[in-house]
Amino acid sequence: MKGGSKVVTGKHRHKGVFITWGKEDALCTKNLVPGEAVYNEKRVSVQAPGSRVLYLGAASGTTVSHVSDLVGRGLVNMAKKRTNVIPIIEDARHPAKYRMLVGMVDVIFSDVAQPDQARILALNASYFLKTGGHFVISIKANCIDSTEPVSAVFAQEVKKLQADHFNPIEQVTLQPFERDHACVIGAYHVASKHKVAAATS
């Protein structure tokens, strides 16, 4: 992002997320550790609600750092300065192994690059997600089926989510930032009242 010294920041429609307008536009979160970069990201000089989030697929913690900003270098090093991040080094396909470490959560953010990523989300939700809690899943179409059209893979995954008591509310493709990726957002164990609103970013 090339912002220079003159960047205008405004609120996004999602609480805790902001838009900056400069030489390039960007989405950002408030940094829980002001002055600290996790992955050399551009920082703009600007705490949010204390929801409990279970983040599946944290890897090195780059995206998790933004979730940390919303709720309050390697994953462990990043967590040392962000006290609201508790790293659990376990396989997300086996939540029973970490069920004693995680209580009930308000949100599950699933960023797992696996062919059965919807099943992994559903399994973790059955252990940890409150009724009426929310989910965000990053669907990586090529990890699921590289032979099907991307839109068909997204539609199949949404059907799987609906079958597992999820109510998908919004679907956003991540083009041009990530190819063949979409985020689906919704609620858990809430009766579906409308179809998924699909949009591009």
Side-chain angles (χ1 to χ4, degrees), residues 37-144:
V38 176
Y39 55 99
N40 272 338
E41 69 273 24
K42 176 85 174 177
R43 295 181 310 279
V44 177
S45 298
V46 176
Q47 217 127 357
S51 297
R52 290 174 54 93
V53 177
L54 174 61
Y55 191 109
L56 307 176
S60 61
T62 55
T63 309
V64 141
S65 69
H66 292 294
V67 174
S68 164
D69 294 334
L70 288 172
V71 298
R73 303 260 184 222
L75 178 60
V76 174
N77 288 335
M78 182 271 291
K80 286 178 184 175
K81 293 182 179 174
R82 292 171 177 268
T83 56
N84 67 343
V85 175
I86 302 167
I88 300 169
I89 313 301
E90 281 292 350
D91 188 333
R93 293 172 295 184
H94 305 288
K97 290 185 177 180
Y98 48 91
R99 66 172 189 217
M100 300 305 286
L101 302 172
V102 180
M104 296 302 286
V105 299
D106 302 293
V107 180
I108 294 182
F109 193 123
S110 183
D111 193 16
V112 180
Q114 295 290 334
D116 58 343
Q117 50 190 252
R119 185 193 68 82
I120 293 169
L121 171 61
L123 187 57
N124 278 270
S126 70
Y127 275 87
F128 308 118
L129 189 56
K130 296 175 183 175
T131 296
H134 291 85
F135 72 92
V136 180
I137 182 170
S138 178
I139 300 173
K140 299 161 176 64
N142 288 334
C143 290
I144 297 166

Side-chain angles (χ1 to χ4, degrees), residues 123-183:
L123 187 57
N124 278 270
S126 70
Y127 275 87
F128 308 118
L129 189 56
K130 296 175 183 175
T131 296
H134 291 85
F135 72 92
V136 180
I137 182 170
S138 178
I139 300 173
K140 299 161 176 64
N142 288 334
C143 290
I144 297 166
D145 189 342
S146 60
T147 64
E148 288 284 328
V150 171
S151 58
V153 174
F154 293 156
Q156 290 166 8
E157 293 304 295
V158 166
K159 285 182 182 176
K160 289 177 189 175
L161 293 169
Q162 290 168 328
D164 279 317
H165 308 291
F166 292 100
N167 176 21
I169 296 168
E170 186 175 7
Q171 176 182 320
V172 181
T173 62
L174 302 185
Q175 300 274 25
F177 309 107
E178 293 287 347
R179 187 173 174 224
D180 300 337
H181 282 51
C183 272

